[in-house]
Amino acid sequence: MVDDLRWASALSVAAAIRSGELGPAEVRDAALERIDRFDADLGSVVIDLRERNLPPADGPFRGVPTLLKDAGEELAGTPTWVGTRALRAEGPLSSTTTPFAARLESLGFAIVGRSACPELSAGASTEPPGFSPTRNPWDLSLSAGGSSGGSAAAVAAGLVSLAHGSDATGSLRYPAACCGVVTLKPSRGRVGCAGAAGGPDPAGVWTQFALARHVEDLTALFAGVAEPWPGRRVGLGPQRAGVVVDDAVTGHPTHPATAAGVRAIAGHLGLLGWRVDPEAPSPQRPLTRREWHAMATFADHVRGVQVRWVAERTGRPPQLGDLSGSVLEAAARGS
């Protein structure tokens, strides 16, 4: 079965390990071999953790190799760069393992590396200054998206079956769309996590999850990491959904296949008892544009928080070259 691991689901690999058909070391070595063989062209893995040889927990994903996005979540005794030249050069190691990363390992995942992200995990393309760009495995001349571009490219290329990602304003969803893999941004409060860098997320919109090729893997992962939703009995009582297929931010036309997919999901929700408005109004396009401007203003404040975090890690204020000029300018505006 080891020859089929490249495209197998994480759950099927874990089942083969539990049955004794495959050994955890065999599965891990196969993933590392794929990374060594294919990732020179992709640039999806930035930190190699193969020497971190921890035995996998006996969870639903026992022994399944995965990647931890190089942003926010940390592993004790390993580096965290967040796409910055400063942290890569200085090489500080994390002192603790953050809760979501610990949860992945408790579910049985074997974290074999850290996946690429843009500088400070900000951007819709994974091309941090001073690093190799992450390329789309379907066409190496195209972007893998961002900010979870490294994870999306690795999953799409079959290096791992599932990889960690995170999202505030599209960082799971953009790369999933670019690379043809599946993801979910959990609703706020369902998955506890650290921010992209610099501790808690000041905006409260950052969340952790994953990208995968198989929906059943995402379903099982969500069951393993989601917290109860305080004050709401999820799945009980009438739920409401409105169908919106246009682009409220840019006004670009929606691809017919995308619109058909959205409407198909809405129809399925109707069969499940949801109240579905098939012609919901566009989500307040003027309001959306004002919010977009406000979000950009707040992003400058977040950059300041992140720059101070980098300074704490390196022991000195970042200079031009440690971080890009655009980041330093945004932090100055934010102050």
Side-chain angles (χ1 to χ4, degrees):
M1 182 180 174
V2 72
D3 294 334
D4 301 326
L5 290 181
R6 186 176 181 186
W7 308 116
S9 70
L11 288 175
S12 66
V13 172
I17 291 174
R18 282 194 297 273
S19 71
E21 182 179 358
L22 293 172
E26 182 182 18
V27 171
R28 186 172 179 270
D29 289 347
L32 292 171
E33 182 181 352
R34 293 192 297 272
I35 292 171
D36 291 341
R37 180 180 176 186
F38 298 111
D39 198 55
D41 291 330
L42 292 177
S44 67
V45 182
V46 290
I47 298 175
D48 189 323
L49 297 177
R50 70 184 66 205
E51 300 303 323
R52 189 175 181 271
N53 191 20
L54 297 179
D58 190 17
F61 294 100
R62 173 174 169 76
V64 175
T66 193
L67 299 172
L68 188 72
K69 180 181 175 182
D70 187 29
E73 296 297 324
E74 302 186 49
L75 293 169
T78 70
T80 301
W81 297 341
V82 201
T84 66
R85 289 169 291 194
L87 291 174
R88 183 178 63 181
E90 297 291 342
L93 302 181
S94 299
S95 59
T96 60
T97 296
T98 50
F100 187 85
R103 186 61 180 153
L104 289 178
E105 292 194 316
S106 73
L107 291 172
F109 284 107
I111 299 173
V112 299
R114 301 207 64 156
S115 59
C117 68
E119 185 178 34
L120 295 175
S121 199
S125 184
T126 302
E127 304 176 65
F131 292 72
S132 298
T134 300
R135 302 182 185 277
N136 194 310
W138 296 99
D139 183 338
L140 296 178
S141 70
L142 300 179
S143 171
S147 66
S148 304
S151 290
V155 168
L159 307 188
V160 291
S161 53
L162 180 150
H164 162 245
S166 45
D167 189 316
T169 58
S171 288
L172 281 163
R173 294 160 287 169
Y174 292 153
C178 288
C179 294
V181 296
V182 291
T183 192
L184 168 74
K185 182 181 180 183
S187 298
R188 188 181 305 189
R190 294 310 307 276
V191 178
C193 65
D201 168 29
V205 297
W206 193 259
T207 191
Q208 311 289 339
F209 199 50
L211 304 104
R213 291 190 304 275
H214 299 268
V215 173
E216 57 265 33
D217 289 341
L218 291 184
T219 303
L221 177 63
F222 187 75
V225 301
E227 302 291 341
W229 202 339
R232 184 170 181 180
R233 302 174 70 190
V234 179
L236 300 179
Q239 304 289 318
R240 298 180 60 198
V243 181
V244 179
V245 296
D246 66 339
D247 185 333
V249 175
T250 68
H252 291 319
T254 303
H255 193 284
T258 301
V262 171
R263 293 191 175 102
I265 293 170
H268 186 64
L269 292 176
L271 294 175
L272 293 174
W274 285 51
R275 294 166 52 195
V276 178
D277 179 356
E279 299 296 337
S282 176
Q284 301 88 35
R285 184 173 282 112
L287 173 61
T288 302
R289 288 174 177 162
R290 290 199 299 273
E291 288 177 339
W292 194 259
H293 176 75
M295 186 181 73
T297 303
F298 190 81
D300 288 346
H301 164 68
V302 173
R303 293 295 163 266
V305 173
Q306 293 177 327
V307 168
R308 289 192 294 273
W309 176 79
V310 172
E312 292 170 0
R313 287 292 176 99
T314 60
R316 59 181 177 81
Q319 305 297 317
L320 184 63
D322 296 325
L323 298 173
S324 65
S326 60
V327 166
L328 295 175
E329 291 167 7
R333 287 194 306 267
S335 67

